[in-house]
Amino acid sequence: MRSVDPMEGYRPARRRRGVVRKEMPLWQELPLLLVVAFCLAVLIRTFLVQAFYIPSGSMQSTLEIKDRVLVNKVVYDMRDPLRGEIVVFRGTDDWAPEVTEEVSNTFLAKLGRTVGDLVGVSRPGERDFIKRVIGLPGDKVACCDSGGRITVNGVGIDEAYIADGFNSDLSQPPIAGQCTSRRFNEVTVPAGQMFVMGDHRKVSQDARCQGPVPIENIIGRAFVVVWPSEHFTSLDVPDVWKQFAEQYPSAAAAHPIPMREENPAVAANVFPLLFGVVLSARSGMSSWRRRRRLRA
């Protein structure tokens, strides 16, 4: 009598078409993930956060030369700037460049600067500046009171962030177009503009001699020093400016600050794209981890 194989006649169920996909080798998937990460970095740098290299000593000793700071590029789409904040902005035609070094325009040099900009090691453009906000629309800014301090709406400001020996000369008379003197005549900040100054007043070329800057020229707010690691610190609003804002109402109430127009395309297109890129990257990495576990 012939024995019957219990598996005789059994046919494994066919897998439905399109369910099983051919797995991509790691050597092909890794470059794809790198491209996704690079695109994500570009989008974040363009719309959310950007790294900036400090090329000059105009903000010493708060910011040292060659420091790298992160700049929030969306904060002023939601609120107005505050006195005491450190901002990166594009200077007007009246502002002389602080960085005048010649740069190579070869393809490799341009490529290197582009990649370096993404990781915060490239130099900023010659029209980009970083300063501290001193006055807002309607404020009356001058120097000096009897104690040699700048005044905002007649109130002297104790600027503890200015290091000893870094303030400009008090005895030298003001000269039009030069920032060599600490003293300058009272300036009423026009509507839609801001009065900015560097923390190293001896070398900073700022609103004292180059005039106020349109608020719409702001690129973003510097909020942290990220490199070198020993300089890591947050860039908070100094207490003197917080106390000033609490005790004295803003003069800007009579001179509203025009907010930058929101671009609906950014919210409608860019952020969903960011979300899609993140999901793609996470999906790729999860697939790679699953394959590693199965092979192990």
Side-chain angles (χ1 to χ4, degrees):
M1 183 176 179
R2 186 174 66 89
S3 61
V4 179
D5 186 349
M7 299 299 294
E8 185 176 351
Y10 172 78
R11 293 182 179 180
R14 290 185 177 181
R15 294 184 179 180
R16 288 180 298 173
R17 293 180 179 178
V19 173
V20 179
R21 294 180 299 177
K22 185 178 180 180
E23 294 181 352
M24 183 182 295
L26 178 60
W27 67 270
Q28 291 180 349
E29 186 170 341
L30 187 57
L32 177 61
L33 293 177
L34 292 176
V35 171
V36 170
F38 181 81
C39 293
L40 183 60
V42 171
L43 291 171
I44 290 175
R45 173 241 184 247
T46 303
F47 297 102
L48 300 177
V49 176
Q50 183 174 354
F52 273 87
Y53 170 92
I54 305 302
S56 72
S58 67
M59 282 297 295
Q60 288 177 312
S61 58
T62 304
L63 299 174
E64 299 294 336
I65 299 174
K66 297 184 180 181
D67 278 355
R68 276 79 169 177
V69 299
L70 292 184
V71 173
N72 184 330
K73 303 184 73 171
V74 298
V75 61
Y76 297 130
D77 289 328
M78 296 177 286
R79 67 165 176 83
D80 300 336
L82 303 175
R83 303 183 193 92
E85 290 183 327
I86 297 175
V87 296
V88 175
F89 59 93
R90 291 180 297 275
T92 66
D93 293 338
D94 296 330
W95 280 60
E98 288 186 331
V99 181
T100 57
E101 298 178 6
E102 293 186 4
V103 296
S104 172
N105 288 318
T106 64
F107 173 77
L108 290 178
K110 290 181 178 180
L111 179 62
R113 289 197 295 269
T114 300
V115 175
D117 185 43
L118 293 175
V119 296
V121 297
S122 66
R123 296 180 180 273
E126 64 175 14
R127 308 304 302 179
D128 294 340
F129 299 85
I130 182 166
K131 306 289 180 185
R132 190 182 298 275
V133 178
I134 302 296
L136 295 173
D139 284 341
K140 298 181 183 298
V141 185
C143 192
C144 304
D145 65 3
S146 59
R149 304 174 299 178
I150 63 168
T151 62
V152 179
N153 301 329
V155 180
I157 307 297
D158 291 311
E159 300 179 280
Y161 45 80
I162 298 181
D164 291 340
F166 281 26
N167 215 335
S168 45
D169 192 353
L170 184 60
S171 62
Q172 184 174 340
I175 303 175
Q178 296 185 22
C179 290
T180 52
S181 173
R182 190 187 311 185
R183 293 189 284 151
F184 59 92
N185 296 326
E186 183 178 271
V187 176
T188 300
V189 183
Q193 300 196 29
M194 60 182 178
F195 194 95
V196 293
M197 300 174 70
D199 290 354
H200 190 170
R201 302 284 161 81
K202 280 187 175 180
V203 300
S204 176
Q205 301 295 303
D206 47 46
R208 291 173 291 169
C209 56
Q210 304 192 102
V213 178
I215 290 174
E216 65 181 12
N217 283 19
I218 293 179
I219 296 172
R221 179 197 172 191
F223 64 95
V224 64
V225 180
V226 293
W227 191 262
S229 57
E230 58 268 23
H231 292 176
F232 181 86
T233 185
S234 60
L235 299 173
D236 300 323
V237 175
D239 290 339
V240 64
W241 289 112
K242 293 179 181 178
Q243 296 167 4
F244 179 88
E246 292 175 356
Q247 296 176 11
Y248 302 95
S250 173
H255 302 269
I257 299 175
M259 297 299 293
R260 290 177 288 184
E261 294 183 2
E262 296 184 2
N263 186 351
V266 173
N269 299 323
V270 174
F271 291 104
L273 182 59
L274 276 173
F275 185 68
V277 170
V278 172
L279 286 181
S280 298
R282 291 189 62 183
S283 175
M285 290 303 296
S286 297
S287 175
W288 178 64
R289 291 192 188 99
R290 286 197 299 270
R291 290 201 302 273
R292 288 194 62 183
R293 287 199 296 268
L294 289 174
R295 290 168 182 169

